[in-house]
Amino acid sequence: MFVPAPYRQPSASWMVDILRGNPLALMTSNGPAEAGPYATHLPVIQDPEMTEEWAPDLSGARLLGHMNRANPHWKAMEDGTPVLLTFTGPHAYVSPTVYQITPAAPTWDFTSVHVHGRLRKIEHEAAGEETLEVVRATVRTFEGDFGNAWDMSESQDYFRKILPAVGGFRIDVSGAEGMFKLSQEQDPHIRERVRENFANRDSDAHRSAARLMDKLPAPGCPLSA
């Protein structure tokens, strides 16, 4: 992903925050020549057994996910298949009316993280205990972050019933790029108008973008590595 210098992540934690706060990723990989690229939307989490710190470019991280084994995408991938995971964070349209200057042009502020890595199928032939643990880990993560602490203990039989259709996988991350386009190219007073406009909108997407803009370094301050 091409990331102009003003839109680099302000600090190493920003890409991790996008992954954790927006875990429904778009995973793409090459398919057969007659099919072209494959793309699948799926939830992805940090491997709970990953204890080391995140690198600034996320290299060395391990992610877990699962998909339907009937998906041709699953069948096309082997161990070591290069994949790209795209995580989309807060984004919003910017109308030139906000700038209060002429000439001007509309744009779209957005945040996105592209994660590169290689896929490892957890169990090739049939899903078993390791894949079941991926499902459990996913439930624990999402109930903790987005749910109401649902107790899954009484649903284990149901999990096992649907497990044959589940393909669990691990992603060994080789690197990532983060794009945080939040009107940094504008003069400070115009960027503040954009932030205020976003903050006062009824849209959750606009308000989320405004909160990120609140965290941007002051103009002229260098971005961290």
Side-chain angles (χ1 to χ4, degrees):
M1 176 168 59
F2 172 60
V3 183
Y7 305 143
R8 287 177 49 224
Q9 60 169 333
S11 68
S13 66
W14 279 49
M15 287 202 292
V16 177
D17 289 345
I18 291 293
L19 266 65
R20 288 176 171 164
N22 306 271
L24 185 67
L26 176 65
M27 184 169 73
T28 57
S29 65
N30 289 333
E34 64 273 14
Y38 282 115
T40 301
H41 292 272
L42 41 76
V44 177
I45 64 169
Q46 177 184 347
D47 186 339
E49 296 184 1
M50 176 185 155
T51 57
E52 57 268 38
E53 295 292 325
W54 293 81
D57 67 349
L58 309 190
S59 58
R62 296 185 303 278
L63 305 176
L64 297 179
H66 60 279
M67 67 191 305
N68 193 324
R69 284 177 176 265
N71 188 337
H73 196 172
W74 172 263
K75 298 176 181 179
M77 292 186 295
E78 301 293 340
D79 273 350
T81 295
V83 297
L84 170 67
L85 295 172
T86 300
F87 298 83
T88 302
H91 59 92
Y93 174 69
V94 184
S95 169
T97 59
V98 178
Y99 297 151
Q100 300 178 22
I101 59 172
T102 300
T107 191
W108 204 287
D109 278 357
F110 69 95
T111 57
S112 181
V113 176
H114 286 193
V115 176
H116 305 269
R118 293 189 178 271
L119 180 137
R120 310 288 178 186
K121 290 186 176 181
I122 289 175
E123 291 166 316
H124 287 75
E125 301 304 323
E129 289 301 315
E130 289 186 74
T131 300
L132 179 59
E133 185 51 37
V134 171
V135 174
R136 289 170 175 153
T138 302
V139 171
R140 285 192 292 267
T141 298
F142 293 157
E143 280 297 315
D145 291 346
F146 308 109
N148 296 300
W150 173 63
D151 182 357
M152 72 178 104
S153 59
E154 295 184 0
S155 296
Q156 296 303 303
D157 288 343
Y158 178 68
F159 284 5
R160 293 183 185 280
K161 181 180 178 180
I162 63 176
L163 196 62
V166 178
F169 61 84
R170 176 178 292 103
I171 302 292
D172 297 324
V173 177
S174 57
E177 307 95 30
M179 180 80 154
F180 296 88
K181 181 182 180 296
L182 297 167
S183 295
Q184 296 97 318
E185 78 284 1
Q186 299 293 340
D187 290 339
H189 68 284
I190 294 180
R191 188 173 76 181
E192 177 59 18
R193 288 177 191 160
V194 175
R195 190 204 62 77
E196 288 182 355
N197 178 269
F198 285 177
N200 292 322
R201 299 286 288 273
D202 291 334
S203 162
D204 287 340
H206 284 80
R207 292 197 297 269
S208 294
R211 286 192 290 271
L212 280 182
M213 294 179 77
D214 279 334
K215 298 178 182 179
L216 286 172
C221 292
L223 300 181
S224 63

